[in-house]
Amino acid sequence: MDPMRSPTSSGSDTDVVVVGAGLAGLRCAIALRGAGLDVRVLEAADAPGGRIRTDVVDGFRADRGFQLLNPAYPAVGRWVDVPALRLQSFAAGVSARTDTGLTTLAHPLREPGLIAATAGAGARRPREVLATARWGRALLTPRRGRTLSQVLAQRGPDQDLGSALDDAGLGGLLRTVLERFFAGVLLEDELSTSSRYALLLTWMFVRGVPGLPYEGMQALPGQLADSLGARVRLSTPVESVVAAGAGVTVTAAGQQLHSRAVVVATGARQAQQLVGVTAPASKGVVTTWGSAPEAPTGSALLHVDGRARAGGPVVNCAVISNAAPSYAPPGRHLVQASALLDPGRAPREADVRRHAGEILGCSTAGWRELIRHEVPHALPAQPAPYSAQRPVALGDGVFVCGDHRDTGSIQGALVSGQRAADAVLASLAGREGHP
C-alpha cells in the first residue's frame, strides 16, 4: 500500500502530515510518533536534513555551509545519540591573525597546552579583559533556579551586540576578535544581532566543544530520519496546504493527502508561501572547500582575521582535516573558508583563497577548489530585542516549526519541532478528547 494512503481510525489518510524533513520536522515527527499518532513526513529534496547536507567530492566531505555540532546544546543531549555520530572536536578556542602575528585565545581548562598563549594575550590587555568580563558578567550570575534566559531578561532591555560591547567599554584586539568570531557564527558583521542571544551562544561554547560527525553533518538528520523509516517520503514537494472542516488537505506530487493536522517544517520562505507566516530577514554564507597538498597549519582551531582592517571577505577558515580526519582521504588535507553572502555580491574565489592564505599564514599555490556552496538563507536574523519563541499553532489544524520560530541554531530547530508536536497533541486532545 502507498504509505501516503495508509488510513487511520479517524477516516483521514494519516493523523499528521509533516512538511519538511529538516531537524525541526524530524523531531516533531518522532515526538508525534512516540505519542502513538500515525505520521507522514514529506520532503522535497532527495535526502533528509533541510539546510544540513554533506557532499562527497573526490573522497572529501564538504558540508553545505560550514556548520558545527555543539554537544552542549540541551536539545542535542536529550534527543540525539551523540556517541553514535562519533563527533570529532575542534580545539576550544580561536586563532587570530593580527597586525603583529598570531594571537591564540583558548578555553584554559579544555586546552591546557594553550594556557600560556592565552594568558599572555590577556596579560597584555587587562582593560580589554575587564571590559569583556563586564559584557559577559551575566554568565557568572548565580542562577538560583532560574534559566540563563531568565537571568538575561532580568538585567534590563536587550541591546544589539554592537551597543552592548560599546557600553561595556570593549575595544582593541579583543573587540576585533570577538566581532570577527561572531561574524562567522551569526553570519553578520553589522553587530545588529541581540546581545542576549550572543551571550547564550557564548555560554554554549563555554560548556561544550563543537565538532563534526564522522560521516559529516548530514549524519545528524540522517540519524533522526532512520528512526522514522518509511514514514519519511523524499522527492515529494508539497504544493499546497488547505484547512477544511475538521482536517487539512495537503497536495504533494499531484496527490492529495488528508490529515487531522499538518505541521509545516520548511524554511521560512517556503512556510510563508504555504501558510502565510511572515518570513524573517535572513543571513547568507558562501563556503569554499579546497584540498591542500600540505596542512597549512597543525592547529585544530578556528582562524579569524584579527587585524584592525580585515584583508578580505573571509570571516573564518580552518584546516578541517586537522580536527576531523574523516573529512579527507588519508594523507590529504581539507580547508574551508567562509564569507558572508550578500544578495548579488558573492565574493570571488580568488579573493577568498588569498584572504584565507593570509589568515593561515601560508601559500595557497597548491590548493585546489573542490566545491563552493552559496547558502543565501542560512540563518534567520536574531535582532534585538531577543525573542526566543514565536507561535507554532496557526489554527484550523495547521502548525509551523523551524529555527525561524525559535533561535537560528540546531538547538532552536529541535526545540521548535518539539513545541510543534506538543501543540498538535494538545489541539487534537482538546478537539476529540484524546490525541
Side-chain angles (χ1 to χ4, degrees):
M1 178 181 293
D2 184 342
M4 289 185 68
R5 295 293 180 184
S6 178
T8 69
S9 59
S10 67
S12 299
D13 296 317
T14 188
D15 288 318
V16 185
V17 173
V18 176
V19 182
L23 293 182
L26 292 170
R27 176 58 218 161
C28 180
I30 290 170
L32 293 173
R33 182 61 186 165
L37 295 185
D38 186 68
V39 182
R40 296 291 179 267
V41 181
L42 308 182
E43 168 57 48
D46 60 0
R51 296 192 302 274
I52 298 180
R53 192 73 179 261
T54 303
D55 292 322
V56 179
V57 184
D58 294 342
F60 292 89
R61 290 186 172 90
D63 299 321
R64 294 189 184 177
F66 178 51
Q67 302 177 67
L68 294 173
L69 175 61
N70 192 335
Y73 280 143
V76 170
R78 184 176 181 183
W79 295 315
V80 176
D81 184 354
V82 176
L85 295 175
R86 293 183 286 172
L87 203 62
Q88 304 163 104
S89 297
F90 275 67
V94 62
S95 179
R97 172 65 57 185
T98 72
D99 294 309
T100 58
L102 279 177
T103 294
T104 297
L105 302 171
H107 193 305
L109 299 181
R110 299 188 186 277
E111 302 296 337
L114 298 176
I115 289 178
T118 302
R124 292 190 294 273
R125 302 170 181 87
R127 291 183 180 180
E128 295 176 34
V129 172
L130 289 174
T132 303
R134 278 195 295 271
W135 172 68
R137 64 187 182 277
L139 303 182
L140 304 176
T141 301
R143 301 283 184 82
R144 298 188 178 91
R146 299 171 296 172
T147 66
L148 179 56
S149 292
Q150 290 170 334
V151 170
L152 292 171
Q154 292 169 359
R155 297 191 71 88
D158 193 14
Q159 297 176 283
D160 62 78
L161 181 55
S163 297
L165 296 179
D166 288 342
D167 287 352
L170 180 57
L173 176 65
L174 294 191
R175 167 77 177 248
T176 301
V177 172
L178 195 63
E179 288 183 1
R180 304 281 165 77
F181 172 76
F182 273 121
V185 174
L186 303 171
L187 301 185
E188 61 105 350
D189 55 5
E190 302 164 352
L191 302 182
S192 61
T193 296
S194 156
S195 177
R196 192 174 294 170
Y197 178 54
L199 283 168
L200 286 170
L201 287 177
T202 300
W203 182 240
M204 289 298 105
F205 285 120
V206 170
R207 293 186 60 232
V209 181
L212 293 169
Y214 189 89
E215 298 290 339
M217 281 296 294
Q218 195 170 342
L220 171 58
Q223 180 188 105
L224 302 182
D226 286 346
S227 69
L228 293 167
R231 296 177 183 85
V232 178
R233 181 160 177 169
L234 303 175
S235 302
T236 308
V238 169
E239 297 143 20
S240 66
V241 173
V242 179
V248 184
T249 298
V250 175
T251 302
Q255 298 184 58
Q256 287 191 335
L257 183 62
H258 305 287
S259 62
R260 301 163 66 194
V262 64
V263 180
V264 176
T266 64
R269 274 147 190 79
Q270 294 87 349
Q272 182 172 340
Q273 293 171 0
L274 287 174
V275 293
V277 295
T278 300
S282 59
K283 308 294 185 178
V285 65
V286 54
T287 300
T288 300
W289 299 84
S291 66
E294 303 290 339
T297 172
S299 170
L301 287 163
L302 192 69
H303 292 252
V304 301
D305 191 340
R307 294 174 292 188
R309 296 186 63 179
V314 174
V315 291
N316 63 52
C317 56
V319 183
I320 298 296
S321 48
N322 285 348
S326 70
Y327 269 56
R332 302 174 73 181
H333 309 280
L334 178 65
V335 180
Q336 77 82 21
S338 294
L340 303 183
L341 179 63
D342 295 325
R345 291 176 51 197
R348 297 188 310 140
E349 191 277 335
D351 292 335
V352 170
R353 179 193 295 242
R354 174 195 54 77
H355 193 198
E358 290 180 8
I359 295 173
L360 294 171
C362 68
S363 169
T364 64
W367 291 16
R368 178 172 65 88
E369 181 179 332
L370 296 167
I371 195 168
R372 174 182 167 103
H373 294 133
E374 294 186 10
V375 188
H377 304 296
L379 285 177
Q382 302 281 292
Y386 172 69
S387 176
Q389 296 185 341
R390 299 163 187 83
V392 295
L394 304 183
D396 297 324
V398 179
F399 302 81
V400 62
C401 64
D403 64 356
H404 54 95
R405 311 310 292 176
D406 277 74
T407 60
S409 63
I410 289 173
Q411 166 77 11
L414 292 170
V415 168
S416 175
Q418 182 64 44
R419 285 205 299 126
D422 293 341
V424 169
L425 294 172
S427 174
L428 294 183
R431 193 187 311 168
E432 303 179 16
H434 60 82

